[in-house]
C-alpha cells in the first residue's frame, strides 16, 4: 500500500487508556487511518511490515474471544510478534500476580501490552509500573476505548459525520465501560448524546443535576428515562448488554419488565429517524435489550461493528508505533 | 534517677490549664515540675532550647492500628509506637483487629506486655465488641475491662446487627466504657472502594454513598438514647453525620465522635492523583487510581471535607484521631479494587491538621486541645495536660517549618500515604514520654 492514505503523523498518545485523553483530531486521525487499514484487509496478501520486530502482548484477565482475537489479528497483519497471555482473575491473590506478571512481560521486552481486566484502572496501573505502551482492551466498569473507536468509525462510515447527530445509548449506563468510553468519544466529536435507562442504572451524580459545574465534560449529555421520548429524531441507537446479575442486585424487578420498558423493537425503532443505525457492542441478549429481527434487520450495523474492529485496532497499533518509518 | 530536663523559651500551650505563654518548663523525675522563668545551673539538668517552638502536652490518639499480633509485616508495636512518637504522640489506643483479635484478656495482655517491653510510648488497648469481631456474640467485656481496655470496637467491621449493638451499649454502660463504632451499612457499601460521586463515576469504581455512614450513625445515636450507653462514632466523614451528632448532643444523648486528619484535609480527588493545575474534568493520567488514597470511610467531596472544621470549632467533634492504618506495599501495589483500605497517618498528622490553622479555619489552641486534653477527657484520664505534678508527656513542634513528606523515611512500616512528596507546614521537633526523649529531630 502506498503511504499517501495512511498518515504516519504521531497522534500524541503514548498509551491508549481511554478516550478522555484524545482530542477530536486524535480520534479523526485514528478513524482516517482505519480506512487505509480496511484496504489492507481487502488485499490478497493481508500482511504489511509496519510492526516487524515489535512484540505485542495480549494480557487477558477476562475471557473475550472477540476482542482478543481482533487485537491478535490486527497485530499479526502488521507483522508484530504476538504473545497471548490469559489468566483467571479469580485465582490471583491481592494483585501481586498482576504486578509480577506485568514485570515478567516487560522482561520479554513487550513494546505494547494490550490488557483486559475485571478491575477498573488495571491498565493505568500497568502504565504507571512499566515502560511498555499500554492499550486498554476493557477495564472493569471504566472504559473500553477501542470499542468506542470502532463504534465511532461505524457511525462515520454509515452516516458521514458524527457532529450534531443524535445518539441514544440505552440501558446499563452505570456499569457499562462501553457507554463510558462512548460518552468521551461522542461528546468530543460533537454528537448530541442521550442516555436512556432505568434510573437505577444511571449513576446518581448524572441524575441529580451535578453536571452544572463550569467545564463539566458531560454538561450537555441528556438523561431521559422514557425510551419513546428519547428515540425521537435519533440518528443512532446503541443498545447495551444488560448483565443478567442486575436483577439479582436489585437494580431491576425483572428482565421481562426491562424488555418491556427499554427493549428495542420494531415499534420503537419507527420512532427514530428513518434509517437510524442500530448498534450493540455485543454480546447481545436477544429478546431482552434488543429483538432478534431488529438485531439482524436492515438498519442494524452490529456485524459491521465487529468487522471494523480489526481495522480500528490496526490503526491504533500503527499510530502508537508511528514516527518510526513504518511501511504498510 | 531520671535526668531533669529544662525546655527553655518555648511557647507553652496547655489548653487544660488555659495556658498560652512563652516560658520555660522543667521536668524532674519524669513529671512536670515547674513552669515559668527558670534558670538552672544544675549539671544534672539537660537544657532543650525550644525558642521559636511550640510546647504542648504529648498528643493522644484514640484510634490507631498497630497490627501486632498477626500482621507484623505491616507494623509492629515497636515500629508503630516509634512512628507515633515521631508524630508527637505519647499515648495511642490500639484497635483490636489484630490476629488473633483482642477479644480475650490473653491477647490484651500480650499487647500490653509488648508495649511495655518494645514500645516507646503508652499503648492503651481497645477490646472487641464481639467474639472474633464476627458480630454474632458479645466478647467477654467485663474481663476485657479488667484487663484495661479503654473501650470496645469491631473497627473495620461495623456492628451490623442492631439488636446486638443495643445489647453491647447496655452491657458496656455498666462498665462505664464506650462502644466505638465504624458506621457503615454493609449493604450500601458492598463492593465500593471510594466515595460515591462524579470521580467514582468517571473512574468506573463503585462508590460508597454518604448514607452508608449516616444510616448507621442515626441508628447508633438512637440506640444510645434508648440504652443510655456511651457510643463513640469513629472517623466521621460526612456533613450529615456531623449534623446528627450536633443535634444528638444538644438533646443530651451520650454520643461522641472523632475526625481524622485526612477527612479534614483531603477529598476524593486524591484518588486521581492530579497536580494542583488539573481538575477532575481533565484526562486521567497513569497516576490515577492512586491506592494510597483508598481509605475507609472514603475521602469525601469538598463540601463534606470543609464542613469538618466547623465541627471542630463548635465542639461537635470531640477530638482528632488518626486511624493510622499501615499496610505493606503488597497491599497497595495492585489495582484500586484489590488494594487495602487505610493510610499511614501518625507521622503526618500534625502537619496536616496545622493546615487548618495556617488557612485560618481553626485556632491553634483548639487544634492542640483536640489532640491532647479532649481525647484525655474521653479516656477519663489525667493525661493530656502540662499541669504541675503530671506525667511529663510533652511535644515540641515548629509551627512554621515546611517540609516534604518522604514516606520511605517513616518509622512506620506503612509507607502508604497520599501525602508522599507533598509539603506540610508544621513539624515535630521533640517528643518526651514520661520525661524522656522518645523522638528528637534537631
Amino acid at each position: 500500500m502506498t503511504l499517501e492514505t495512511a498518515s504516519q503523523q504521531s497522534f500524541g498518545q503514548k498509551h491508549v487508556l481511554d478516550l478522555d485523553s484524545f482530542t477530536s483530531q486524535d480520534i479523526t486521525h485514528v478513524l482516517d487511518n482505519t480506512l487505509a487499514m480496511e484496504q489492507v484487509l481487502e488485499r490478497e496478501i493481508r500482511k504489511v511490515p509496519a510492526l516487524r520486530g515489535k512484540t505485542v502482548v495480549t494480557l487477558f484477565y477476562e475471557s473475550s474471544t472477540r476482542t482478543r482475537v481482533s487485537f491478535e489479528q490486527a497485530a499479526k497483519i502488521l507483522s508484530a510478534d504476538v504473545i497471548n497471555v490469559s489468566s483467571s482473575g479469580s485465582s490471583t491473590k491481592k494483585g501481586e500476580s498482576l504486578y509480577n506478571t506485568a514485570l515478567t512481560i516487560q522482561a520479554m521486552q513487550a513494546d505494547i501490552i494490550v490488557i483486559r481486566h475485571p478491575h477498573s484502572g488495571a491498565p493505568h496501573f500497568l502504565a504507571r509500573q512499566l515502560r511498555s505502551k499500554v492499550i486498554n482492551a476493557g477495564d472493569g466498569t471504566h472504559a473500553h476505548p477501542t470499542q468506542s473507536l470502532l463504534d465511532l468509525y461505524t457511525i462515520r462510515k454509515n452516516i458521514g459525520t458524527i457532529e450534531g447527530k443524535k445518539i441514544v445509548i440505552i440501558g446499563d449506563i452505570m456499569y457499562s465501560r462501553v457507554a463510558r468510553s462512548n460518552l468521551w468519544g461522542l461528546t468530543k466529536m460533537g454528537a448530541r448524546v442521550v442516555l436512556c435507562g432505568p434510573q437505577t442504572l444511571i449513576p446518581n451524580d448524572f441524575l441529580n443535576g451535578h453536571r452544572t459545574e463550569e467545564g463539566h465534560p458531560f454538561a450537555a449529555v441528556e438523561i431521559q428515562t422514557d425510551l419513546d421520548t428519547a428515540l425521537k429524531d435519533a440518528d443512532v441507537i446503541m443498545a447495551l448488554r444488560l448483565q443478567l446479575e442486575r436483577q439479582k442486585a436489585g437494580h431491576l424487578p425483572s428482565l421481562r419488565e426491562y424488555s418491556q420498558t427499554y427493549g428495542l423493537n420494531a415499534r420503537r425503532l419507527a420512532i427514530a429517524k428513518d434509517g437510524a443505525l442500530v448498534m450493540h457492542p455485543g454480546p447481545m441478549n436477544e429478546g431482552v435489550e434488543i429483538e432478534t429481527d431488529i438485531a439482524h434487520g436492515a438498519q442494524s450495523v452490529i456485524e459491521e461493528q465487529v468487522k471494523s474492529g480489526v481495522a480500528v485496532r490496526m490503526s491504533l497499533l500503527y499510530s502508537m508505533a508511528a514516527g518510526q518509518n513504518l511501511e504498510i | 534517677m531520671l535526668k531533669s530536663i529544662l525546655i527553655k523559651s518555648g511557647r507553652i500551650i496547655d489548653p487544660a490549664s488555659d495556658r498560652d505563654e512563652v516560658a520555660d518548663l522543667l521536668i524532674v523525675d519524669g513529671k512536670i515540675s515547674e513552669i515559668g522563668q527558670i534558670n538552672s545551673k544544675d549539671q544534672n539538668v539537660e537544657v532543650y532550647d525550644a525558642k521559636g517552638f511550640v510546647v504542648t502536652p504529648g498528643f493522644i490518639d484514640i484510634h490507631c492500628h498497630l497490627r501486632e499480633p498477626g500482621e507484623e509485616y505491616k507494623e509492629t508495636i515497636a515500629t508503630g509506637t516509634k512512628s507515633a512518637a515521631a508524630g508527637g504522640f505519647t499515648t495511642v489506643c490500639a484497635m483490636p483487629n489484630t490476629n488473633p483479635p483482642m477479644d480475650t484478656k490473653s491477647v490484651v495482655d500480650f499487647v500490653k506486655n509488648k508495649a511495655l517491653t518494645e514500645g516507646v510510648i503508652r499503648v492503651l488497648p481497645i477490646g472487641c465488641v464481639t467474639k472474633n469481631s464476627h458480630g454474632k456474640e458479645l466478647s467477654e467485656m467485663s474481663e476485657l475491662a479488667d484487663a484495661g481496655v479503654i473501650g470496645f470496637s469491631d473497627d473495620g467491621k461495623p456492628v451490623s446487627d442492631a439488636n446486638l449493638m443495643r445489647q453491647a451499649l447496655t452491657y458496656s454502660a455498666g462498665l462505664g466504657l464506650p462502644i466505638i463504632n465504624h458506621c457503615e451499612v454493609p449493604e450500601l457499601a458492598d463492593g465500593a472502594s471510594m466515595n460515591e460521586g462524579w470521580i467514582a463515576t468517571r473512574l468506573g469504581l463503585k462508590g460508597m454513598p454518604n448514607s452508608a455512614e449516616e444510616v448507621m450513625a442515626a441508628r447508633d445515636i438512637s440506640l444510645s438514647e434508648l440504652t443510655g450507653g456511651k457510643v463513640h462514632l469513629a472517623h466521621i466523614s460526612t456533613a450529615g453525620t456531623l449534623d446528627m451528632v450536633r443535634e444528638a448532643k444538644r438533646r443530651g444523648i451520650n454520643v461522641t465522635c472523632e475526625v481524622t486528619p485526612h477527612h479534614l484535609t483531603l477529598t476524593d480527588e486524591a484518588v486521581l492523583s492530579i497536580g494542583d493545575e488539573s481538575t477532575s474534568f481533565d484526562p486521567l493520567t497513569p497516576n490515577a487510581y492512586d491506592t494510597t488514597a483508598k481509605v475507609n470511610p472514603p475521602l469525601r467531596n469538598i463540601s463534606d471535607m470543609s464542613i469538618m472544621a466547623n465541627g471542630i470549632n463548635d465542639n461537635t467533634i470531640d477530638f482528632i484521631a488518626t486511624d493510622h492504618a499501615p499496610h505493606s506495599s503488597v497491599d497497595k501495589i495492585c489495582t484500586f479494587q484489590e488494594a487495602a483500605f487505610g493510610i499511614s497517618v501518625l507521622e503526618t498528622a500534625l502537619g496536616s491538621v496545622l493546615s487548618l490553622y495556617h488557612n485560618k479555619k481553626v485556632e491553634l489552641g483548639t487544634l492542640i486541645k483536640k489532640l491532647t486534653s479532649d481525647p484525655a477527657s474521653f479516656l477519663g484520664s489525667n493525661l493530656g495536660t502540662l499541669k504541675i505534678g503530671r506525667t511529663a508527656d510533652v511535644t515540641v513542634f515548629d509551627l512554621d517549618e515546611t517540609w516534604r513528606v518522604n514516606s520511605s523515611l517513616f518509622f512506620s512500616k506503612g509507607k502508604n500515604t497520599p501525602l508522599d512528596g507533598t509539603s506540610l507546614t508544621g513539624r515535630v521537633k521533640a517528643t518526651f514520654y514520661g520525661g524522656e526523649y522518645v523522638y528528637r529531630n534537631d
Side-chain angles (χ1 to χ4, degrees):
Chain A
M1 176 176 160
T2 51
L3 290 174
E4 62 210 322
T5 45
S7 162
Q8 274 192 32
Q9 188 196 335
S10 166
F11 74 138
Q13 306 286 328
K14 178 179 178 191
H15 307 289
V16 178
L17 302 176
D18 195 5
L19 297 188
D20 60 346
S21 61
F22 279 57
T23 61
S24 60
Q25 289 84 356
D26 288 334
I27 293 171
T28 303
H29 172 85
V30 173
L31 302 188
D32 287 349
N33 275 0
T34 301
L35 199 65
M37 297 302 162
E38 276 197 334
Q39 290 161 12
V40 171
L41 290 174
E42 280 157 16
R43 291 183 190 172
E44 207 165 306
I45 296 173
R46 298 191 299 165
K47 195 84 166 178
V48 289
L51 297 191
R52 199 171 42 199
K54 301 277 181 200
T55 302
V56 174
V57 175
T58 68
L59 176 58
F60 274 55
Y61 282 82
E62 272 180 353
S63 55
S64 163
T65 311
R66 180 177 5 203
T67 306
R68 193 189 58 70
V69 168
S70 166
F71 268 110
E72 182 176 352
Q73 198 185 359
K76 281 183 169 165
I77 292 171
L78 293 172
S79 302
D81 296 310
V82 182
I83 301 171
N84 295 313
V85 181
S86 57
S87 176
S88 148
S90 58
S91 66
T92 64
K93 188 183 162 258
K94 289 193 157 209
E96 291 120 305
S97 156
L98 175 59
Y99 182 51
N100 288 330
T101 305
L103 290 177
T104 309
I105 289 170
Q106 177 165 269
M108 295 172 188
Q109 299 195 308
D111 297 285
I112 296 176
I113 298 176
V114 177
I115 180 173
R116 155 80 55 109
H117 199 281
H119 294 168
S120 301
H124 301 71
F125 173 74
L126 289 195
R128 188 161 69 234
Q129 302 289 344
L130 305 181
R131 291 182 302 273
S132 311
K133 298 179 177 186
V134 176
I135 299 180
N136 183 359
D139 64 325
T141 54
H142 171 242
H144 196 351
T146 59
Q147 174 72 41
S148 175
L149 286 167
L150 70 88
D151 289 348
L152 295 170
Y153 181 73
T154 307
I155 296 171
R156 201 179 78 164
K157 196 172 178 191
N158 281 280
I159 57 177
T161 173
I162 299 165
E163 193 175 351
K165 303 295 184 194
K166 178 173 176 180
I167 321 277
V168 182
I169 305 178
I170 310 165
D172 188 356
I173 313 296
M174 178 97 77
Y175 297 100
S176 170
R177 55 192 175 207
V178 177
R180 273 186 173 70
S181 283
N182 266 324
L183 267 173
W184 288 109
L186 290 166
T187 51
K188 279 171 189 279
M189 297 309 283
R192 178 182 162 202
V193 182
V194 180
L195 303 178
C196 180
Q199 297 215 31
T200 48
L201 291 177
I202 295 175
N204 196 34
D205 56 308
F206 267 48
L207 289 177
N208 293 351
H210 288 294
R211 290 172 291 136
T212 50
E213 207 180 322
E214 201 191 320
H216 197 297
F218 304 143
V221 170
E222 297 163 47
I223 307 289
Q224 178 55 256
T225 50
D226 179 62
L227 182 55
D228 287 10
T229 311
L231 288 174
K232 274 182 201 120
D233 304 320
D235 295 285
V236 177
I237 307 161
M238 287 185 184
L240 296 173
R241 176 178 172 78
L242 185 78
Q243 300 289 346
L244 306 179
E245 315 72 279
R246 301 293 172 249
Q247 181 182 334
K248 280 188 200 136
H251 291 284
L252 298 170
S254 67
L255 294 182
R256 176 175 170 269
E257 179 156 308
Y258 180 82
S259 177
Q260 284 173 352
T261 345
Y262 295 103
L264 190 57
N265 56 30
R267 184 190 67 75
R268 290 198 165 116
L269 185 54
I271 301 171
K273 267 191 194 158
D274 284 349
L277 301 182
V278 172
M279 302 177 74
H280 192 296
M284 290 185 280
N285 299 303
E286 292 179 31
V288 181
E289 68 262 9
I290 189 165
E291 282 192 358
T292 301
D293 50 349
I294 304 298
H296 302 284
Q299 287 170 254
S300 168
V301 290
I302 296 170
E303 251 176 76
E304 218 184 303
Q305 284 174 274
V306 180
K307 248 174 78 185
S308 53
V310 175
V312 163
R313 288 167 179 126
M314 284 170 69
S315 168
L316 258 188
L317 289 168
Y318 181 82
S319 289
M320 287 174 81
Q324 298 167 28
N325 294 320
L326 303 179
E327 284 175 62
I328 65 170
Chain B
M1 191 182 111
L2 284 173
K3 202 166 182 182
S4 299
I5 294 173
L6 178 60
I7 301 174
K8 281 289 286 179
S9 311
R11 176 180 169 191
I12 300 177
I13 301 181
D14 181 25
S17 47
D18 270 332
R19 186 191 296 275
D20 184 349
E21 61 175 341
V22 174
D24 310 323
L25 183 151
L26 181 66
I27 301 171
V28 177
D29 287 339
K31 304 215 180 305
I32 310 288
S33 159
E34 194 183 342
I35 293 176
Q37 301 302 317
I38 306 165
N39 286 305
S40 177
K41 300 266 166 9
D42 189 338
Q43 287 192 339
N44 276 327
V45 175
E46 182 181 341
V47 175
Y48 179 92
D49 181 7
K51 195 166 191 307
F53 296 158
V54 176
V55 179
T56 70
F59 305 152
I60 299 171
D61 184 12
I62 302 291
H63 188 151
C64 79
H65 298 269
L66 297 180
R67 305 296 189 206
E68 192 174 0
E71 293 184 306
E72 289 85 353
Y73 69 102
K74 295 182 191 238
E75 191 80 289
T76 62
I77 288 168
T79 58
T81 55
K82 277 191 189 122
S83 174
F89 293 88
T90 51
T91 302
V92 295
C93 300
M95 277 292 174
N97 59 341
T98 48
N99 185 16
M102 287 192 256
D103 64 350
T104 56
K105 182 175 185 297
S106 59
V107 184
V108 172
D109 285 344
F110 170 85
V111 169
K112 284 167 66 182
N113 288 333
K114 271 271 174 176
L116 287 175
T117 53
E118 295 175 21
V120 301
I121 59 159
R122 186 179 298 103
V123 175
L124 303 176
I126 297 169
C128 296
V129 181
T130 64
K131 292 189 184 83
N132 244 313
S133 289
H134 280 170
K136 300 289 183 206
E137 295 171 5
L138 295 183
S139 61
E140 293 175 344
M141 289 182 163
S142 185
E143 185 175 70
L144 289 171
D146 289 342
V149 302
I150 60 97
F152 304 96
S153 183
D154 283 351
D155 188 57
K157 294 176 199 160
V159 181
S160 187
D161 180 327
N163 182 51
L164 195 66
M165 186 63 171
R166 174 190 180 166
Q167 305 306 334
L169 281 166
T170 309
Y171 198 91
S172 65
L175 303 169
L177 293 176
I179 303 290
I180 302 172
N181 201 21
H182 168 131
C183 290
E184 175 188 320
V185 176
E187 296 82 3
L188 285 170
D190 183 41
S193 52
M194 67 171 295
N195 183 42
E196 184 171 301
W198 155 247
I199 292 171
T201 298
R202 80 162 293 189
L203 290 170
L205 293 172
K206 187 152 186 237
M208 244 179 258
N210 286 11
S211 299
E213 174 175 307
E214 291 161 5
V215 169
M216 194 172 282
R219 181 202 75 172
D220 287 354
I221 289 167
S222 174
L223 291 174
S224 170
E225 185 172 26
L226 175 69
T227 60
K230 183 175 178 183
V231 71
H232 177 74
L233 309 184
H235 43 52
I236 70 164
S237 69
T238 79
T241 307
L242 188 63
D243 283 344
M244 286 189 278
V245 173
R246 185 181 293 117
E247 174 62 13
K249 286 185 167 184
R250 196 188 59 76
R251 290 168 52 208
I253 298 170
N254 203 356
V255 57
T256 50
C257 71
E258 72 196 24
V259 68
T260 69
H262 38 286
H263 291 105
L264 279 166
T265 54
L266 298 173
T267 68
D268 54 358
E269 283 204 0
V271 178
L272 298 172
S273 198
I274 47 178
D276 295 338
E277 321 264 290
S278 303
T279 78
S280 66
F281 298 151
D282 291 325
L284 300 180
T285 72
N287 292 329
Y289 300 91
D290 184 351
T291 57
T292 64
K294 181 174 176 182
V295 63
N296 194 6
L299 301 173
R300 301 289 186 182
N301 66 27
I302 185 85
S303 57
D304 285 309
M305 183 205 84
S306 24
I307 209 89
M308 289 299 154
N310 300 2
I312 296 271
N313 283 324
D314 71 7
N315 268 321
T316 302
I317 295 173
D318 294 82
F319 49 83
I320 295 167
T322 67
D323 192 13
H324 174 73
H327 288 292
S328 76
S329 62
V330 161
D331 303 307
K332 290 288 192 178
I333 301 185
C334 54
T335 65
F336 199 83
Q337 209 169 315
E338 292 167 312
F341 287 102
I343 299 176
S344 181
V345 181
L346 286 166
E347 289 166 68
T348 55
L350 177 71
S352 287
V353 304
L354 283 178
S355 68
L356 297 171
Y357 160 74
H358 291 295
N359 296 332
K360 302 189 170 34
K361 301 272 193 278
V362 183
E363 288 189 12
L364 182 59
T366 307
L367 290 172
I368 304 298
K369 186 161 159 277
K370 296 292 174 195
L371 287 165
T372 60
S373 55
D374 282 355
S377 308
F378 175 79
L379 294 172
S381 91
N382 58 9
L383 298 168
T385 173
L386 300 174
K387 284 178 186 160
I388 306 301
R390 297 287 170 83
T391 301
D393 293 350
V394 182
T395 294
V396 180
F397 64 86
D398 184 338
L399 189 53
D400 297 311
E401 180 179 337
T402 297
W403 57 290
R404 189 169 285 272
V405 178
N406 178 354
S407 65
S408 68
L409 303 177
F410 279 2
F411 289 87
S412 171
K413 287 190 180 181
K415 315 300 180 191
N416 48 303
T417 172
L419 298 176
D420 201 27
T422 64
S423 288
L424 296 176
T425 299
R427 189 172 202 181
V428 177
K429 304 307 289 182
T431 307
F432 302 85
Y433 171 62
E436 289 188 83
Y437 284 104
V438 285
Y439 174 72
R440 194 163 179 176
N441 171 20
D442 291 335

